[in-house]
């Protein structure tokens, strides 16, 4: 089954493991936001243009 993540809402990454590597992602308006879900939405956010985020995912560097 291929499902697309929601747009314009923060959602937890499917790769987050319980309380260890908790990452939330926001998709929408040509940008992708990333934040630490342990901060309950109060911590810093990183924002990337869609094409930069796609390049990051396609690079596979995050698999290491």
């Amino acid at each position: 089954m291929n499902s697309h993540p929601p747009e314009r809402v923060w959602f937890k990454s499917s790769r987050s493991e319980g309380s260890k590597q908790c990452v939330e992602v926001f998709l929408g308006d040509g940008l992708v936001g990333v934040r630490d879900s342990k901060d309950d939405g109060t911590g810093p956010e990183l924002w990337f243009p869609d094409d930069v985020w796609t390049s990051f995912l396609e690079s596979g560097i995050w698999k290491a």
Side-chain angles (χ1 to χ4, degrees), residues 34-56:
V34 181
R35 69 182 183 188
D36 186 341
S37 63
K38 292 179 287 199
D39 290 333
D40 292 325
T42 61
E45 300 171 355
L46 300 174
W47 290 90
F48 305 94
D50 282 343
D51 61 332
V52 172
W53 183 253
T54 299
S55 294
F56 167 71

Side-chain angles (χ1 to χ4, degrees), residues 13-60:
S13 169
S14 62
R15 297 205 175 264
S16 292
E17 301 174 14
S19 63
K20 294 179 184 175
Q21 299 173 354
C22 300
V23 174
E24 291 180 320
V25 177
F26 179 100
L27 302 175
D29 299 327
L31 293 173
V32 176
V34 181
R35 69 182 183 188
D36 186 341
S37 63
K38 292 179 287 199
D39 290 333
D40 292 325
T42 61
E45 300 171 355
L46 300 174
W47 290 90
F48 305 94
D50 282 343
D51 61 332
V52 172
W53 183 253
T54 299
S55 294
F56 167 71
L57 293 178
E58 289 175 349
S59 75

